[in-house]
Amino acid sequence: MPDGPQRLFLFVQCEFPWALGPADGRYLLRSETDGEPERVVVLATLPAARAPLGADAGILRRRAARARAVAPEPEPTPVLTARATIVDPVSLSAERQAQAWLSELDSEREVSGAFAVLNRVLHAQRVASADPYAREVSPEQALTLRVGWGEGEQVADGRWLHAVELPWGKPLKRKHRRATTLRVDERLARLLAARERPLQCEEHTLRARLDLDQGRLAHGAAELQLAYAMALPELREENRQDLAIRIAELEQLRGPVSAQARAALPGSSKTPEEEVVRHALERLEAALRARTAAGF
């Protein structure tokens, strides 16, 4: 990333109260089509005021450490903070260009694009490390979101010449937010009290949504096929007349969903159609929301 005088680089930056996984450093992401640089992701871990025992020593050292007594009301353990700076490698030659970008900023588009890039790094880390517990992130989980610009070495170190902090979160009407929260809390209580079991299709639906949102169309198509295979017998078994029309709709979509999953198989002469996969996923999500919309 060049850092000559007056070469300014735009960035989106976010922080999380946990380590993201990949080692600190600079990661260059290239296009899968032409190999051109797309983004530079700079990861840094900000140390806590007091590092907990074994924070940088690994699990073996923590297991080997001698147990010690703690106070009945201990102070909260300081946590590490991870900072990710997603940088556009195409520089600007004048600050007025950067100011124009900021004044016309579509914050939702920029942040969503930056998180897609960051999650590409985290997904690659999960695969490379074979760690099923490594996770991707969302803007709602960030402690802070910033956008701005700086010179090359500045942004490569997570610093800037100018930046602003973005508010985040889509405001909901109070009544709707309260009703949604009550339904979530009520269902959580039922699940924890073993008065209800989650449907198997729900986890596959969530995974299909994550894959589709992160641009992994083939993964999403395969996961959605599993979701449909589980959802139809599970929903039928409940014998809910209020869901009959929705179940019939899912029955009609099952064939196209299976066709998209077959297109995702290695060696297939076809490729999955995102519009078909997205529509089928949205209809399944709608059926699952309707199932719990009235409460319990």
Side-chain angles (χ1 to χ4, degrees):
M1 189 164 44
D3 59 348
Q6 299 303 312
R7 306 304 294 180
L8 303 178
F9 296 86
L10 306 175
F11 69 84
V12 176
Q13 187 178 86
C14 47
E15 293 180 2
F16 300 90
W18 61 76
L20 291 174
D24 290 359
R26 309 173 190 178
Y27 297 84
L28 174 63
L29 279 74
R30 296 183 179 274
S31 168
E32 295 180 353
T33 55
D34 57 17
E36 290 297 311
E38 285 188 336
R39 290 292 186 273
V40 175
V41 177
V42 183
L43 299 180
T45 304
L46 311 180
R50 177 177 60 83
L53 178 65
D56 58 353
I59 191 169
L60 292 179
R61 177 173 171 181
R62 288 199 296 273
R63 287 176 176 171
R66 187 173 59 184
R68 56 194 178 94
V70 295
E73 297 183 10
E75 291 293 323
T77 301
V79 297
L80 299 176
T81 300
R83 174 180 291 170
T85 308
I86 299 92
V87 186
D88 188 337
V90 178
S91 64
L92 304 178
S93 58
E95 192 161 345
R96 66 176 179 274
Q97 293 176 297
Q99 291 171 341
W101 168 78
L102 185 59
S103 66
E104 299 172 2
L105 183 73
D106 183 335
S107 58
E108 184 170 349
R109 184 184 66 186
E110 290 292 337
V111 170
S112 297
F115 271 72
V117 170
L118 176 58
N119 281 330
R120 182 178 158 192
V121 174
L122 300 182
H123 179 256
Q125 167 72 12
R126 181 165 72 243
V127 173
S129 63
D131 181 2
Y133 294 97
R135 57 174 165 165
E136 288 148 303
V137 293
S138 71
E140 289 75 16
Q141 295 172 317
L143 294 172
T144 186
L145 290 170
R146 306 182 186 98
V147 296
W149 62 84
E151 295 185 339
E153 284 305 314
Q154 281 183 316
V155 296
D157 290 333
R159 297 177 291 113
W160 56 79
L161 285 174
H162 178 78
V164 297
E165 189 167 313
L166 295 177
W168 194 255
K170 299 177 181 177
L172 299 172
K173 293 181 179 179
R174 176 173 295 182
K175 183 177 180 181
H176 175 69
R177 181 172 64 241
R178 177 177 171 77
T180 302
T181 302
L182 286 174
R183 285 197 297 271
V184 171
D185 290 347
E186 184 182 2
R187 190 169 186 218
L188 175 61
R190 288 178 61 85
L191 291 168
L192 296 180
R195 296 198 302 271
E196 180 195 354
R197 282 187 175 184
L199 300 181
Q200 293 186 57
C201 69
E202 291 180 286
E203 179 64 24
H204 291 297
T205 302
L206 291 172
R207 293 185 183 187
R209 168 55 64 190
L210 177 61
D211 285 330
L212 193 58
D213 284 352
Q214 298 306 320
R216 299 189 291 267
L217 180 56
H219 289 77
E223 202 69 58
L224 186 60
Q225 182 186 36
L226 290 173
Y228 265 70
M230 299 292 182
L232 288 168
E234 286 181 317
L235 294 176
R236 282 196 225 99
E237 187 179 6
E238 292 183 340
N239 198 27
R240 291 269 300 267
Q241 292 303 312
D242 57 324
L243 296 180
I245 294 177
R246 295 184 182 274
I247 293 172
E249 180 186 28
L250 298 181
E251 289 276 15
Q252 293 179 343
L253 290 170
R254 185 173 186 176
V257 166
S258 296
Q260 298 308 307
R262 288 194 298 271
L265 291 174
S268 173
S269 60
K270 299 180 180 180
T271 57
E273 300 175 50
E274 181 175 350
E275 185 176 347
V276 175
V277 175
R278 188 174 296 278
H279 173 70
L281 175 58
E282 288 171 353
R283 299 320 301 155
L284 176 54
E285 290 171 330
L288 293 176
R289 285 195 301 270
R291 176 177 174 267
T292 59
F296 298 89

